[in-house]
Amino acid sequence: MSRYLLLYSVLFLSTAFAQAQTLQGKVISGEEGVEFANVWIKELNTGAVTDSLGNFSIKVSETGKYTVQASRVGFQTSQIQITLPLAAPLIFQLTELDGGLDEVVVSGTMQEVSKLDSPVPVEVYSGNFFKANPTPSIFESLQNVNGVRPQVNCNICNTGDIHINGLEGPYTMVLIDGMPIVSGLATVYGLTGIPQALIDRIEVVKGPASTLYGSEAVGGLINVITKNPLNAPLFSVDGFATGWGEVNLDLGIRSSLGSKVHSLTGISGFYYDNPIDNNGDGMTDLTLSKRISIFQKIQVDRPNNRVFNVAARYVYEDRWGGQMNWTTANRGGDQVYGESIYTSRWETFGIWQLPSSENLNFQFSANGHSQNSVYGNTIYIADQYIAFGQLTWNKTLGKNNFLLGTAYRFTHYDDNTPATSSDLGDQNKPSVIHLPGIFVQDELKITPTQSLLLGGRLDFNSVHGSVFSPRINYKKSWNDNTTILRLSAGNGFRVANVFTEDHAAFTGAREVVFTEELRPETSWNTNVNLVKKIYTNGGTFIGIDGSAFYTYFTNRIVPDYETNPNQIIYGNLDGSAISQGVSMNLDFAWANGLTLTGGATLMDVSLEEDGIRTRQLLTERFSGVWSIGYEFFKSGLKIDYTGNVYSPMRLPLLGELDDRDAYSPWFSIQNIQLTKSFGEKWEIYGGVKNLLNFTPPANSIARAFDPFDRGVAFAADGTVIPTPENPNALTFDPTYVFAPNQGRRGFLGLRFRVQ
């Protein structure tokens, strides 16, 4: 009896082992574990997601031969044939495809640190993140980033700026590889024409960053990090076309000049020449555009791994919008209305690590922006040149990591408007601003899980005098960085720049008026950030990133659209302004290939003057974004569904008689895409943009039928007189805009890459 019982026990245990066992292993890149990688057993249609150290564990019901696949955005997919049971853990070594999302950030502290170790909250989006909704420019791609909204400021010329947490474009600083390139109006050009195949990642910091970056970094900054030439594909091409006739093409080429000089070349082109007027107002719904951009980056290998790289970019664009029968022969005339903009822009930037035993780095950037625009018969010609240099010294002493720096910015601006005329009015007087500054930062590692960052900056503006900007950041982590708390407080400032304030560059329908010499704005910001990562036993990853923010402004520069319908009046607010709210980002990843990223921001941006509090124009109270992706591992097919939603915004009306809605409706822009991979080199993708076919009201352009205001009666003070032909006292005005006029359209694209 005991013999049979023993035999039965052995058979039972053998069967149980065969039916229930665990496949364990690790996914690594180099020597580091790869977090958030999908490990999938194809034959069993089951898998898991790696934890923060790259480990995974999958329960398998039966022994046998299987194909196991490890994949992660930004890495080359790896497959291994195995036979279960295995005697040792399974190890996957992944190769970076294009830099990936390596969790290294520089924007928060001006030094390369792990995103988890950074005391400053930095959001990181890999170049692959934006492939879920391909667009002709990064400007448009940012519509899928929580709390960031590309704002179109003109229904006809379609120029715009970037809003971060409700603050307008002049408060957003744009950097390329850590160097300040653009702000304000030039934001749309700085984020246009960068081949997306050359982008490693985009870092977003929300809230003042003036302590490190100076003026303009009040609302936040966007840092576009281009690829290291050593990690970029040897050759890449990405092109797509839409049903509206838009064509976009990006090329990337990696090369070497000898063994120590590495080069990365990018060419980006966009072409759209198909006038469409679906809303029937007689004006083009989408600006026609021809754009070419050339990007070149060179990196030199130096002794002791010292850094030297330099990059340059040139962008030229010819864009126009207006009445459907407009041609270049009508440019600047008063018979057929058109807004035509010729833009020529160059940039150069780089970093040189000095040959010293100390860690000394010299960083530099320079750019020139020439704009020749006509808005009907209003001509606007402007040139702006900015040169920037910065020397930093980094030193670690015990638990302290010091950063000391000195910077200088030179700005030269000239145009054909009264803004740059002399006091006599008959001579030209370009705006010239010198802005030297010094800054210091100390990151104290209190314990292995706690750090404190203290910093301060002193700038001297040649027009406005000295400005001081301090900040403090505290970080505490628990449970191997799966729970992180960050507390931040700091000061930001912004010196008014004519080029960013002069909205003649946005529309010629209104005269720009400065009521006074604009004084620097000052803001104080506090922020609380909590990050939580959860790994379930079933192989599911959940990431939670929540923030609460509060910013208080003095000397706020506010555009007044409402006092006079023919003017935009600029002056410092005789009161205060606030931007406050909460935001939440959620990330989910299931082992079966389903991923979900979502975010929402609830905020209040308002102004208070003479005891009266008003809501800021063109600012939503609520916004949400999402991206849902599912990968069919066996077929190499992926589906992406992306979108955003915005609550009503207060819109600029042309007086009390204007019968258009004072607030925009709730609206949502949604997109869907299918991507099919053929091996490791080819991808075909296609889908539909703006699935709901949402567009603003057809009457968004006031008096579109009379763009030269020939049927408008004006009083002596410039105000509009109601008449039977114009009972609502309107003038031609395209600034009543809150969303693009472009409706639903399909698109089809092709990617090819040689690694």
Side-chain angles (χ1 to χ4, degrees):
M1 180 69 179
S2 60
R3 186 185 308 167
Y4 288 112
L5 181 60
L6 178 61
L7 179 60
Y8 176 79
S9 299
V10 171
L11 291 173
F12 175 80
L13 291 174
S14 299
T15 304
F17 178 78
Q19 292 179 345
Q21 56 183 305
T22 302
L23 173 62
Q24 295 181 327
K26 189 170 186 176
V27 179
I28 60 175
S29 178
E31 298 180 357
E32 299 294 326
V34 177
E35 179 188 18
F36 198 16
N38 269 304
V39 181
W40 191 255
I41 303 177
K42 290 189 172 183
E43 291 80 1
L44 300 179
N45 205 34
T46 187
V49 177
T50 58
D51 63 17
S52 59
L53 300 177
N55 297 316
F56 67 88
S57 178
I58 306 174
K59 290 184 178 180
V60 182
S61 59
E62 297 181 3
T63 59
K65 294 183 178 181
Y66 299 103
T67 301
V68 187
Q69 172 181 291
S71 62
R72 168 72 155 85
V73 171
F75 293 87
Q76 186 172 330
T77 299
S78 176
Q79 292 185 359
I80 298 177
Q81 303 289 333
I82 66 168
T83 301
L84 291 178
L86 287 180
L90 184 61
I91 304 297
F92 282 95
Q93 178 70 248
L94 295 188
T95 301
E96 283 188 299
L97 201 57
D98 56 2
L101 182 54
D102 55 8
E103 301 294 331
V104 173
V105 297
V106 297
S107 301
T109 61
M110 211 176 282
Q111 303 173 71
E112 283 198 352
V113 297
S114 163
K115 177 186 174 184
L116 296 176
D117 288 338
S118 172
V120 178
V122 181
E123 296 181 15
V124 184
Y125 299 90
S126 75
N128 286 282
F129 172 84
F130 301 104
K131 288 183 178 179
N133 180 32
T135 63
S137 69
I138 301 174
F139 175 79
E140 295 179 48
S141 296
L142 292 172
Q143 63 184 285
N144 291 328
V145 176
N146 184 28
V148 177
R149 183 169 66 86
Q151 166 66 33
V152 177
N153 291 312
C154 173
N155 265 316
I156 295 177
C157 62
N158 287 161
T159 51
D161 53 31
I162 300 293
H163 290 203
I164 296 182
N165 286 343
L167 298 179
E168 297 167 313
Y171 301 91
T172 300
M173 173 170 278
V174 176
L175 306 101
I176 300 180
D177 288 342
M179 284 292 90
I181 295 296
V182 291
S183 61
L185 167 67
T187 297
V188 68
Y189 300 103
L191 293 175
T192 297
I194 302 177
Q196 300 209 22
L198 303 186
I199 296 173
D200 178 53
R201 64 188 187 273
I202 294 178
E203 300 178 2
V204 179
V205 176
K206 300 172 182 175
S210 294
T211 301
L212 287 183
Y213 296 99
S215 180
E216 280 90 44
V218 178
L221 63 89
I222 297 170
N223 192 0
V224 180
I225 308 294
T226 60
K227 288 183 168 88
N228 183 323
L230 295 175
N231 296 332
L234 182 65
F235 175 77
S236 65
V237 58
D238 186 347
F240 70 87
T242 74
W244 277 45
E246 302 161 284
V247 178
N248 189 80
L249 180 66
D250 288 345
L251 298 175
I253 303 170
R254 170 170 56 90
S255 59
S256 296
L257 305 174
S259 60
K260 295 186 177 181
V261 180
H262 312 286
S263 172
L264 184 61
T265 305
I267 301 174
S268 177
F270 177 75
Y271 180 86
Y272 173 65
D273 194 29
N274 181 32
I276 292 177
D277 179 24
N278 287 337
N279 62 10
D281 63 0
M283 300 283 180
T284 53
D285 291 346
L286 180 65
T287 304
L288 285 74
S289 174
K290 304 176 185 69
R291 180 176 67 242
I292 184 70
S293 172
I294 301 173
F295 176 89
Q296 180 67 55
K297 183 176 184 179
I298 295 176
Q299 179 174 301
V300 180
D301 293 338
R302 299 175 60 209
N304 301 316
N305 292 321
R306 291 192 179 97
V307 178
F308 176 73
N309 64 63
V310 62
R313 185 169 72 108
Y314 176 74
V315 182
Y316 179 80
E317 184 177 50
D318 173 3
R319 61 193 290 135
W320 76 270
Q323 291 182 301
M324 294 289 288
N325 60 335
W326 186 91
T327 68
T328 53
N330 303 116
R331 194 174 196 268
D334 60 358
Q335 299 303 309
V336 181
Y337 187 87
E339 299 188 359
S340 171
I341 304 170
Y342 300 151
T343 301
S344 177
R345 179 178 179 84
W346 60 265
E347 303 160 354
T348 183
F349 49 92
I351 179 172
W352 175 51
Q353 187 175 355
L354 275 63
S356 166
S357 58
E358 298 292 331
N359 189 3
L360 293 167
N361 291 282
F362 176 69
Q363 297 169 287
F364 62 90
S365 69
N367 65 76
H369 188 114
S370 297
Q371 188 159 319
N372 181 326
S373 307
V374 298
Y375 305 90
N377 56 357
T378 300
I379 300 174
Y380 174 75
I381 298 175
D383 292 284
Q384 179 174 267
Y385 301 96
I386 299 176
F388 177 83
Q390 177 173 275
L391 180 66
T392 61
W393 173 66
N394 180 234
K395 185 76 171 180
T396 299
L397 297 173
K399 295 183 177 181
N400 295 276
N401 185 6
F402 289 100
L403 179 70
L404 179 65
T406 180
Y408 170 76
R409 183 188 298 183
F410 169 81
T411 303
H412 178 279
Y413 171 77
D414 192 14
D415 68 13
N416 64 331
T417 74
T420 56
S421 62
S422 67
D423 296 335
L424 299 177
D426 58 350
Q427 296 179 356
N428 199 45
K429 186 180 180 181
S431 169
V432 176
I433 298 176
H434 302 273
L435 188 66
I438 58 173
F439 58 91
V440 62
Q441 175 180 277
D442 176 28
E443 183 177 355
L444 172 63
K445 201 74 172 178
I446 303 172
T447 69
T449 60
Q450 294 184 80
S451 60
L452 180 68
L453 182 73
L454 301 171
R457 182 185 185 102
L458 179 64
D459 283 279
F460 182 81
N461 184 280
S462 58
V463 176
H464 300 289
S466 300
V467 183
F468 178 65
S469 303
R471 76 163 171 176
I472 181 172
N473 299 82
Y474 171 78
K475 170 187 165 289
K476 167 70 175 175
S477 62
W478 294 269
N479 303 325
D480 295 327
N481 276 335
T482 58
T483 304
I484 300 174
L485 174 67
R486 295 183 177 95
L487 304 175
S488 307
N491 167 261
F493 74 94
R494 183 172 77 91
V495 177
N497 186 308
V498 177
F499 195 58
T500 66
E501 251 54 67
D502 194 332
H503 277 51
F506 292 147
T507 171
R510 294 178 185 240
E511 177 190 2
V512 175
V513 176
F514 296 92
T515 60
E516 58 186 333
E517 183 177 329
L518 300 178
R519 303 184 302 277
E521 294 183 339
T522 302
S523 69
W524 291 93
N525 171 270
T526 59
N527 184 287
V528 180
N529 173 247
L530 180 63
V531 176
K532 178 66 177 177
K533 296 186 175 183
I534 302 170
Y535 300 89
T536 70
N537 293 331
T540 300
F541 168 80
I542 303 173
I544 304 171
D545 189 335
S547 296
F549 57 90
Y550 178 86
T551 305
Y552 179 87
F553 289 89
T554 56
N555 285 344
R556 177 77 184 271
I557 300 169
V558 181
D560 178 2
Y561 289 83
E562 298 171 312
T563 299
N564 188 323
N566 285 320
Q567 296 177 337
I568 302 177
I569 304 172
Y570 280 93
N572 289 105
L573 184 69
D574 186 17
S576 61
I578 61 170
S579 170
Q580 59 185 340
V582 293
S583 67
M584 178 76 72
N585 288 318
L586 297 174
D587 293 287
F588 294 88
W590 289 267
N592 62 359
L594 177 64
T595 60
L596 186 154
T597 300
T601 299
L602 181 65
M603 62 185 177
D604 171 33
V605 182
S606 57
L607 317 171
E608 185 170 334
E609 190 171 26
D610 298 329
I612 301 175
R613 184 174 177 181
T614 58
R615 183 174 161 188
Q616 180 176 286
L617 286 169
L618 296 169
T619 303
E620 69 279 6
R621 290 194 183 276
F622 173 84
S623 65
V625 296
W626 67 85
S627 178
I628 303 173
Y630 185 77
E631 184 174 358
F632 300 88
F633 293 111
K634 290 185 178 181
S635 60
L637 184 67
K638 186 180 181 185
I639 183 170
D640 291 289
Y641 170 51
T642 59
N644 52 52
V645 60
Y646 297 103
S647 68
M649 312 173 198
R650 192 165 75 90
L651 302 175
L653 298 179
L654 295 177
E656 296 181 356
L657 298 178
D658 192 336
D659 60 351
R660 294 176 298 177
D661 291 335
Y663 287 86
S664 66
W666 283 84
F667 72 94
S668 176
I669 306 295
Q670 302 177 23
N671 321 284
I672 193 165
Q673 173 183 264
L674 287 173
T675 304
K676 170 65 177 175
S677 299
F678 298 91
E680 298 173 358
K681 296 181 179 180
W682 294 91
E683 279 186 353
I684 294 179
Y685 59 93
V688 179
K689 290 181 177 292
N690 198 356
L691 282 167
L692 304 182
N693 199 32
F694 176 82
T695 55
N699 64 346
S700 293
I701 302 177
R703 291 185 67 84
F705 59 88
D706 184 20
F708 295 101
D709 288 337
R710 291 190 173 92
V712 180
F714 295 96
D717 61 357
T719 60
V720 180
I721 301 173
T723 63
E725 294 76 22
N726 186 19
N728 301 112
L730 301 180
T731 60
F732 171 70
D733 182 39
T735 61
Y736 179 95
V737 56
F738 56 90
N741 273 325
Q742 195 174 14
R744 184 189 300 118
R745 69 271 188 203
F747 65 96
L748 182 65
L750 174 70
R751 297 188 184 102
F752 174 73
R753 171 168 45 193
V754 178
Q755 188 63 27

